[in-house]
Amino acid sequence: MVESSEEAGPRDGRPIVVALCASAANTRSLVHLLQALPPRPDTAIIVVLQHRETLDAAAFGHALAAAGHEVSVIERTMPLVPGRVYLPEPNVIVSIEGDHFQLRPAEQRFGERGTIDSFLVSLVGEMDGRTISVVLAGTGSDGTLGFKAVKEMGGIAFAEETEESRAGELAASNIPAALADAVLPIEPLAERIRASIRQLGSKTGPDAHLDEAEASTVLASIAAVLRNKTGHDFHGYKEGTFMRRIQRRMQVAQIDDNAAYVDYLRAQPGEAQELFNDLLIGVTQFFATRRSSSSSNAA
């Protein structure tokens, strides 16, 4: 059954992309999410799996079909079409280029492929922030770099709650949950994904068009709040990037109205720091850090 929506298809021709990332060694949470996410004509779901060769593809396909999903096996240069669930073949690395899938052989050893990172990083610049990325438990550190990239482009990053996250041990961790916008048990996670899809699919969502005067007013108000709360002045910050970061925080906070977000920013403890952190995200720096760390470990 297709979830009701005001949209007959993707708004402005751009699909919402939900990337569900997991290990094929344990698909219980993944299947649960897919069963809890009804097909929508404006949304494409892409399943990105570590250890894909261990998946019982027949049982997985049957479970998805019972939930009303049409499953498409990803082929090279296949266009990304909303309303479907996409699944890769074993031993390939999947990426998105210009709304089409690209595939390359997985040449690295198991555990060193960065299957999730490679896919999520490829989304940067392609989906224009209309991305919800979810990393489920059991993937190790794969997806951490991807979450950094997703947040850089304005997308949302969610993770499944684990024993480690429940213990509050994420600050020094290198797993994706340490960078997630929300870390939730599977049932609340499913509801949060549904809510985010509805918000992105709404005509009045946070990426709805603002004219130049409206945008300037919103940016000036938010820059003033940031200056008062953080001591940093973002007046003159590149407007497109500034607005994209604001819209991302609005999606995380599940707020559609710009004026309401300004009020939320003023009143909510910690939100100014969260927006400030988003404004300072740098994927290039993160790549350099990872390379430097890898070189040190090799030495």
Side-chain angles (χ1 to χ4, degrees):
M1 184 179 202
V2 177
E3 183 175 282
S4 63
S5 170
E6 295 179 1
E7 305 297 323
R11 181 156 49 90
D12 300 329
R14 299 173 299 154
I16 300 165
V17 173
V18 179
L20 298 181
C21 309
S23 169
N26 183 359
T27 60
R28 180 179 300 176
S29 292
L30 174 63
V31 170
H32 184 95
L33 281 185
L34 286 164
Q35 291 173 337
L37 298 174
R40 283 179 57 115
D42 59 355
T43 303
I45 299 175
I46 304 169
V47 177
V48 183
L49 291 175
Q50 293 177 333
H51 316 298
R52 164 65 177 84
E53 67 286 347
T54 67
L55 179 71
D56 185 338
F60 186 73
H62 180 75
L64 267 60
H69 288 293
E70 178 182 351
V71 182
S72 299
V73 176
I74 298 173
E75 299 177 359
R76 188 173 179 273
T77 72
M78 173 186 283
L80 177 66
V81 177
R84 297 182 181 178
V85 173
Y86 290 92
L87 179 69
E89 293 278 20
N91 299 311
V92 296
I93 301 297
V94 181
S95 61
I96 294 281
E97 294 181 16
D99 295 338
H100 287 70
F101 289 100
Q102 296 298 329
L103 302 174
R104 60 180 174 84
E107 299 174 350
Q108 296 86 353
R109 294 180 297 176
F110 295 120
E112 299 179 356
R113 293 178 173 179
T115 306
I116 297 170
D117 279 332
S118 294
F119 178 76
L120 295 182
V121 169
S122 78
L123 291 176
V124 175
E126 297 293 344
M127 295 298 117
D128 194 24
R130 294 172 62 79
T131 300
I132 303 165
S133 298
V134 183
V135 175
L136 300 177
T139 64
S141 63
D142 193 8
T144 305
L145 176 59
F147 267 10
K148 189 85 170 179
V150 164
K151 293 172 73 172
E152 162 74 10
M153 72 164 189
I156 310 171
F158 297 140
E160 181 182 10
E161 185 180 78
T162 63
E163 185 175 340
E164 182 178 2
S165 64
R166 282 192 297 271
E169 298 173 354
L170 293 178
S173 175
N174 67 342
I175 64 173
L179 291 179
D181 293 307
V183 181
L184 300 165
I186 198 66
E187 288 287 356
L189 179 58
E191 176 52 39
R192 187 67 180 270
I193 296 168
R194 289 194 297 267
S196 295
I197 293 172
R198 289 193 296 268
Q199 186 180 30
L200 284 170
S202 169
K203 291 179 180 178
T204 58
D207 65 342
H209 177 71
L210 291 177
D211 64 35
E212 187 173 343
E214 289 175 319
S216 294
T217 299
V218 169
L219 293 178
S221 298
I222 290 176
V225 176
L226 286 174
R227 183 176 57 197
N228 291 337
K229 286 184 173 285
T230 71
H232 294 268
D233 191 349
F234 286 92
H235 289 91
Y237 195 90
K238 187 176 179 181
E239 286 196 2
T241 302
F242 199 178
M243 184 57 76
R244 188 162 59 248
R245 298 292 190 274
I246 292 166
Q247 289 167 346
R248 203 196 82 78
R249 288 304 310 168
M250 290 174 67
Q251 290 167 17
V252 172
Q254 297 184 285
I255 296 172
D256 290 337
D257 181 74
N258 293 288
Y261 180 71
V262 175
D263 292 339
Y264 178 82
L265 185 66
R266 290 190 178 113
Q268 185 66 25
E271 179 60 23
Q273 186 62 47
E274 292 289 349
L275 177 56
F276 176 75
N277 292 343
D278 268 22
L279 289 164
L280 298 185
I281 288 173
V283 172
T284 302
Q285 181 179 2
F286 190 74
F287 268 105
T289 301
R290 283 288 287 259
R291 285 198 298 266
S292 174
S293 176
S294 298
S295 298
S296 298
N297 292 337

